[in-house]
Amino acid sequence: MTPGRDAGGRTSPSYPYSYERTATTADLQRRFEGLAPGAGSGERARVAGRIRTLRTHGKAGFADLQDGTGRIQLFAQADVLGDDLQGFTDLSVGDIVGAEGEIVRTRRGELSVRIESLTLLAPCLRPMPEKFRGVTDVETRYRQRYLDLIFNPEARRVVSARATANATVRAFLEERGFVEVETPLLHPVASGAMARPFVTHHNALDIDLYLRIAPELYLKRLLIGGLERIYELNRSFRNEGVGSRYNPEFTMLEAYEAYVDFEHTMALVEDLVRAVARALDAPAPRCGEETVQLEAPFRRVTMFEAIAEHTGHDLAPAWNAGDSGALRAAAAALGVRLQDSWGPGRVVAEIFEERVEGRLVQPTFVTGYPKEVSPLAKDHRSIPGFTEHADLVIGGVEMAPIYSELNDPEEQRRRFAQQATAAAAGEEDVALPDEDFVEALAYGMPPAGGFGLGLDRLLALLLETGTLREVILFPLLRPDGRRGA
């Protein structure tokens, strides 16, 4: 080892630039699976990774080395290393090392590298968590995710599962002729969804810009341009709550297909969700006390049917009669708080979201949302005042809004004007007018079906984590007074 001392007084390296390893631990475990106890292989290897455990017995020492694929034992002997054995005993749990030597199996049956040379690549200068319990404090796991990944196999499984889900999504859509695209993160208008944006400022142009709340309006511009099947795995941002079901930065899949409606798109989303579940070997995840049956056909109900089923209040007659007072009376009876400025559509949607959505554990398409809360979808063909906007709800959580996309520029302008009026009345979750998008619609957008699937929420369901914070590597947290971050 290179001379020098770290803060603990140990011999430390000069932080080498690289270490040429010849095998991973998984490679060695696989290749030498049949090596007998007490036998040598006659083959040498160079491995590198983090020391997880360390113990010495007289003139011998043992350590468990972990790399990105698994573990192997390091076996140090004084008659091989001579004076360099001190370099091994100077190591600490958590150090990153490179080791070279013969592959052997000890008499106790542990596949090992009998060390002939050892290089300290990066010392661990902080005490590692206790090896058997690992990182047990939940806040620490989220704030210091690197420690969680070192000690918690489940955390590493989530990383692998997300990669599998992303690859499955891409393969599924590309097999059906969809093209992956990229659209801007910085928007001049915060539109495309009903949400509060993050605001920033571009100095050179001296204009305010917004982190995108959804890529919808840019993707629809591509439909206008003649791209008929498109999708984007995107990061979106909403300046809203933080918790088990919300993170201000999140991953969403958004896709559009020309010449279809929301009925076709619901079937596509159902097949996609099932494909991701199968890829993760999670066709029937547990959600509370229930098992979610993703292989069964997804149920379809109207919002009125769902409300009547779960609250006993049939709102359809009052809706059809235009009786806002009766709708508000039903909300009051159910303990749903309303704002005075809300129209009847917002009232119905609020009753559903507050008293029904969380009870829909089995996969359910809620087929139809009031126009008041759905400014970007076509009018419903059979429910007056509603739009062809369906939501897929699983485990009591909204997973995917699905639209028959509105492509009438004058109707879109009227909808935006209604949203602007709501914003002027003090409502924050509105879709702001985007005149450039309306201008684009005037050139003609084909009829289309589209959806946005919250991948973080789907992964939380399929992996049974119970919270988005387990599937987002670095979730946003309140500042930690102990660290100032």
Side-chain angles (χ1 to χ4, degrees):
M1 294 190 187
T2 304
R5 294 283 169 179
D6 66 17
R10 302 177 297 135
T11 301
S12 66
S14 54
Y15 291 93
Y17 284 88
S18 65
Y19 185 84
E20 184 180 354
R21 59 181 180 178
T22 61
T24 66
T25 61
D27 291 336
L28 297 175
Q29 294 288 358
R30 183 172 54 254
R31 286 175 54 201
F32 297 102
E33 183 180 6
L35 191 63
S41 69
E43 295 189 37
R44 299 169 73 251
R46 290 166 60 89
V47 297
R50 188 182 296 276
I51 299 296
R52 288 295 307 273
T53 65
L54 188 66
R55 53 209 180 276
T56 57
H57 297 283
K59 295 184 178 182
F62 303 88
D64 285 335
L65 179 138
Q66 176 181 299
D67 65 10
T69 67
R71 295 192 191 190
I72 198 167
Q73 182 172 261
L74 302 183
F75 177 25
Q77 292 177 295
D79 59 356
V80 176
L81 290 174
D83 292 341
D84 285 343
L85 181 63
Q86 184 63 44
F88 179 86
T89 58
D90 278 350
L91 292 174
S92 291
V93 171
D95 286 348
I96 297 175
V97 303
E100 180 177 5
E102 182 186 4
I103 306 304
V104 302
R105 194 174 293 279
T106 65
R107 289 191 296 270
R108 292 191 175 185
E110 286 289 334
L111 189 69
S112 306
V113 178
R114 184 160 56 195
I115 301 172
E116 298 170 15
S117 68
L118 183 71
T119 304
L120 180 57
L121 304 174
C124 179
L125 304 179
R126 298 287 185 269
M128 296 291 278
E130 194 272 325
K131 66 180 181 180
F132 294 109
R133 298 178 64 189
V135 186
T136 57
D137 180 71
V138 172
E139 283 287 307
T140 299
R141 288 181 50 235
Y142 298 151
R143 293 184 189 280
Q144 296 177 273
R145 183 66 85 180
Y146 45 90
L147 293 179
D148 191 28
L149 290 166
I150 290 170
F151 284 92
N152 184 3
E154 180 63 20
R156 294 193 295 276
R157 183 177 79 94
V158 168
V159 175
S160 177
R162 183 179 283 276
T164 298
N166 288 349
T168 301
V169 164
R170 287 187 165 101
F172 178 94
L173 290 173
E174 287 165 13
E175 183 180 315
R176 288 156 179 79
F178 284 78
V179 176
E180 184 172 10
V181 298
E182 293 182 345
T183 61
L185 278 170
L186 293 174
H187 289 189
V189 178
S191 199
M194 299 176 67
R196 280 177 287 176
F198 288 94
V199 185
T200 187
H201 188 80
H202 190 282
N203 292 332
L205 297 178
D206 193 25
I207 58 171
D208 283 343
L209 293 169
Y210 305 89
L211 290 181
R212 72 174 167 207
I213 55 177
E216 178 167 345
L217 301 190
Y218 281 95
L219 291 172
K220 288 180 176 178
R221 286 173 170 91
L222 298 181
L223 287 177
I224 295 166
L227 298 178
E228 295 181 354
R229 293 179 180 177
I230 50 175
Y231 76 95
E232 183 173 10
L233 270 171
N234 67 89
R235 302 290 280 182
S236 289
F237 306 84
R238 297 182 183 178
N239 196 353
E240 297 172 348
V242 176
S244 63
R245 292 170 54 181
Y246 299 95
N247 195 67
E249 178 182 1
F250 59 95
T251 300
M252 180 167 58
L253 165 68
E254 198 150 319
Y256 294 85
E257 181 176 3
Y259 307 112
V260 303
D261 63 8
F262 82 150
E263 293 283 352
H264 173 94
T265 307
M266 278 189 273
L268 180 75
V269 171
E270 181 170 346
D271 289 343
L272 174 59
V273 168
R274 198 170 286 129
V276 174
R278 288 170 179 167
L280 298 182
D281 194 25
R286 294 285 298 173
C287 181
E289 298 301 316
E290 284 194 57
T291 298
V292 179
Q293 301 296 339
L294 295 173
E295 291 294 333
F298 292 6
R299 187 184 182 206
R300 299 188 184 192
V301 297
T302 68
M303 184 174 287
F304 291 128
E305 289 169 341
I307 291 172
E309 180 179 332
H310 290 279
T311 71
H313 289 260
D314 183 2
L315 304 184
W319 176 266
N320 292 330
D323 190 346
S324 297
L327 296 175
R328 285 184 166 271
L334 293 167
V336 176
R337 299 178 64 181
L338 306 174
Q339 294 184 18
D340 292 341
S341 61
W342 289 354
R346 184 66 182 267
V347 171
V348 172
E350 196 73 11
I351 291 171
F352 169 76
E353 291 172 5
E354 291 293 322
R355 293 293 178 263
V356 180
E357 185 176 80
R359 301 182 184 184
L360 301 179
V361 177
Q362 297 304 321
T364 303
F365 288 111
V366 180
T367 57
Y369 269 67
K371 191 183 300 187
E372 188 178 337
V373 297
S374 188
L376 297 167
K378 281 182 176 289
D379 285 359
H380 202 287
R381 280 169 277 192
S382 59
I383 307 176
F386 270 56
T387 62
E388 291 197 347
H389 162 183
D391 262 7
L392 174 60
V393 181
I394 312 177
V397 176
E398 176 202 345
M399 294 289 173
I402 301 156
Y403 296 172
S404 291
E405 300 296 342
L406 180 58
N407 61 344
D408 177 342
E410 292 308 314
E411 174 62 14
Q412 186 64 80
R413 181 175 280 111
R414 283 191 292 272
R415 300 273 192 92
F416 278 151
Q418 291 165 357
Q419 293 290 302
T421 299
E427 292 190 32
E428 295 179 320
D429 294 343
V430 295
L432 296 180
D434 186 334
E435 283 299 323
D436 182 74
F437 172 66
V438 176
E439 172 68 13
L441 282 180
Y443 286 88
M445 187 181 90
F451 71 90
L453 174 63
L455 282 178
D456 301 325
R457 289 181 174 183
L458 181 60
L459 283 171
L461 170 81
L462 296 178
L463 301 178
E464 302 179 15
T465 67
T467 174
L468 293 187
R469 290 178 174 179
E470 294 291 348
V471 300
I472 296 174
L473 280 174
F474 300 101
L476 185 65
L477 303 169
R478 293 184 184 278
D480 184 355
R482 297 167 297 174
R483 296 178 177 271

